Amino acid sequence: MGTIEQAWLHSPSRRQALLALGAMLAGSPSLGAQLDPRPLRGHKRIPGLDEMMTVFDFEPVCFANMPLKLYDYMAHSADSEWTKDRNRQVFDWVGIVERPGASAAAPDPSTEILGVPMDYPIMIAPNSRHGDLHPDAEAGTYRGATAAGAPMIVANGPSMPHEEIASAADGPRWIQLYPNRNLAVTRRRLERFQAAGAQAIVVTVDQQAQRYERDLHDRHLGGNPETGLLDADDDEEAERPTQGPEQYGLLAPGRLWYTWDFMDQLREFVKVPMLIKGILTAEDARICVDRGFDGVVVSNHGARSLDYAPSTLEVLPEIVAEVDGRIPVLIDSGFRRGSDIFKAIALGADAVCLGRATRWGLGAFGPLGVQRVLEILQAEFKDAMASSGRATLSEIDTTAVRADFA
Ligand SMILES: Cc1cc2nc3c(=O)[nH]c(=O)nc-3n(C[C@H](O)[C@H](O)[C@H](O)COP(=O)(O)O)c2cc1C
């Protein structure tokens, strides 16, 4: 006997029997009960590439395209993520000086850095694991960057071999290095990078964190993803202790040995310009100049290194003053708008590198997304030049901005 008949027989009232009948009918496939009762056909959709108007538009699409653990890997920053917020907030503390009547009708944002001619002072910062974002991985980013005329710095550990990335496009391409304490291993890697066409080598020296609260707190949904690096021999095999306070440490144990003397030793293996990435003080910038490195990247690793480190824009003026034009000063961490880039150029940077911005582009729409992110930023940057009456990059000096901290 079925539920309904049981109810007719045993229920104290017909009302309950009617309720059971109603429940059965409501659940019946013949009444279309499995269909979404509120389909919102005209509204529920993921916006398309041609609807992306700012860099921020790409992030939710990228987020929707990937598992949480891979998104976390991209989004996370050290500890409380205070520095990550500050990397954005700092742009609110710098105003741009508008110059009506002094408009530069056709601003020329072109420049040249270490022998690389660039249409805009905008490049892609090294960041690993593009295979998390799109099947074309780094090859896709490189194609998108080349289409937009932006140089790319390929990370030490990409998701595909450096040689394959090299053959994907023909735009300017630098490669970043995480040194290995074994000089022979580092030398081999440097030789390989240069054989793969690196036009400059960028050595990252900051102490990047290796565990992040965001991943730990999302553990039930995936936690920290397995490494997807192909060339993952960057870190030494330093085992993390499983007992005592050390087990809770934030830093990657395999990079704590870095010294300036070691960086000096790499010079003889590098036949192209060699830059140092991860500089946040005038003192360290001076070390780079004194030791003959060819450029610095002012970077807090997108806040993935030390929480409560300053934003890079705040320390830029003192570094620029120290370097005094002797080597190029690049900057990254938090750049999402053309006006952000304008502010950094006004405070003395020679170029700006993008981390998450172009990752969102790749994750949202593949190579075309990367291209569009770059083109949006280029257009916004040019607009800022026009409105502030600056016709060339050299005209974008400190008088173009009002900074609370500079
Ligand atoms: C997912 C991800 C991976 C990264 N991988 C590297 C890397 O392999 N080497 C490196 O020097 N920097 C790496 N970075 C740091 C970037 O080069 C850059 O400093 C940072 O992304 C800039 O901040 P932004 O993401 O706010 O633009 C990575 C950043 C992200 C977000």
Side-chain angles (χ1 to χ4, degrees), residues 111-118 123 142 145-146 149-155 162 165-167 169-177 189-203 267 269-275 294-295 328 330:
T111 186
E112 183 174 321
I113 297 194
L114 297 171
V116 177
M118 295 164 57
M123 1 190 359
Y142 186 29
T146 301
M152 172 173 175
I153 310 175
V154 179
H162 284 280
I165 302 168
S167 61
D170 58 5
R173 185 172 36 85
W174 300 357
I175 301 184
Q176 173 257 332
L177 172 87
R189 193 166 325 142
L190 283 169
E191 287 168 356
R192 181 176 165 204
F193 289 176
Q194 289 168 93
Q199 288 167 261
I201 297 292
V202 179
V203 184
R267 284 244 54 135
F269 312 130
V270 180
K271 310 294 173 219
V272 292
M274 178 170 156
L275 299 88
D294 300 295
L330 280 56

Side-chain angles (χ1 to χ4, degrees), residues 73-76 87 125-129 155-157 176-178 202 204 206 208 277 299-304 332-336 353-357 359:
Y73 168 72
M74 166 167 60
H76 65 205
N87 277 347
N127 58 92
S128 52
R129 303 174 48 149
N156 178 88
Q176 173 257 332
L177 172 87
Y178 282 128
V202 179
T204 300
D206 53 32
Q208 189 195 349
K277 173 172 182 278
S299 171
N300 58 30
H301 215 116
R304 297 157 85 82
D332 71 26
S333 299
F335 288 82
R336 310 279 186 266
C353 306
L354 307 167
R356 295 181 182 86
R359 285 185 81 91

Side-chain angles (χ1 to χ4, degrees), residues 104-343:
D108 173 12
S110 66
T111 186
E112 183 174 321
I113 297 194
L114 297 171
V116 177
M118 295 164 57
D119 294 340
Y120 292 83
I122 304 174
M123 1 190 359
I124 297 187
N127 58 92
S128 52
R129 303 174 48 149
H130 293 199
D132 287 357
L133 300 159
H134 190 270
D136 290 359
E138 280 79 5
T141 306
Y142 186 29
R143 279 201 296 276
T146 301
M152 172 173 175
I153 310 175
V154 179
N156 178 88
S159 315
M160 61 197 301
H162 284 280
E163 295 72 14
E164 238 176 85
I165 302 168
S167 61
D170 58 5
R173 185 172 36 85
W174 300 357
I175 301 184
Q176 173 257 332
L177 172 87
Y178 282 128
N180 184 296
R181 197 199 312 235
N182 181 330
L183 197 59
V185 171
T186 299
R187 177 186 185 160
R188 271 201 304 280
R189 193 166 325 142
L190 283 169
E191 287 168 356
R192 181 176 165 204
F193 289 176
Q194 289 168 93
Q199 288 167 261
I201 297 292
V202 179
V203 184
T204 300
V205 296
D206 53 32
Q207 288 295 335
Q208 189 195 349
Q210 205 184 40
R211 57 203 284 159
Y212 296 89
E213 288 179 27
R214 183 190 286 253
D215 306 276
L216 298 173
H217 292 146
D218 282 349
R219 62 196 179 281
H220 300 302
L221 294 163
N224 205 19
E226 293 300 308
T227 174
L229 303 185
L230 251 196
D231 293 340
D233 55 345
D234 54 331
D235 288 359
E236 299 199 351
E237 290 304 316
E239 288 289 318
R240 182 179 286 282
T242 51
Q243 292 176 358
E246 287 79 16
Q247 67 184 304
Y248 303 109
L250 173 82
L251 296 176
R255 295 180 194 162
L256 287 168
W257 56 270
Y258 285 179
T259 63
W260 288 115
D261 286 343
F262 189 89
M263 303 307 158
D264 279 346
Q265 293 182 60
L266 307 185
R267 284 244 54 135
E268 85 175 272
F269 312 130
V270 180
K271 310 294 173 219
V272 292
M274 178 170 156
L275 299 88
I276 301 292
K277 173 172 182 278
I279 297 302
L280 287 173
T281 61
E283 290 85 345
D284 289 341
R286 177 200 289 257
I287 289 175
C288 292
V289 173
D290 289 349
R291 291 186 178 242
F293 297 116
D294 300 295
V296 290
V297 185
V298 181
S299 171
N300 58 30
H301 215 116
R304 297 157 85 82
S305 188
L306 172 67
D307 200 18
Y308 289 92
S311 71
T312 51
L313 202 70
E314 284 170 281
V315 296
L316 178 65
E318 69 183 63
I319 291 173
V320 166
E322 184 67 46
V323 169
D324 197 20
R326 286 171 290 179
I327 55 176
V329 176
L330 280 56
I331 185 170
D332 71 26
S333 299
F335 288 82
R336 310 279 186 266
R337 290 188 189 277
S339 58
D340 302 340
I341 298 169
F342 183 91
K343 292 168 188 179

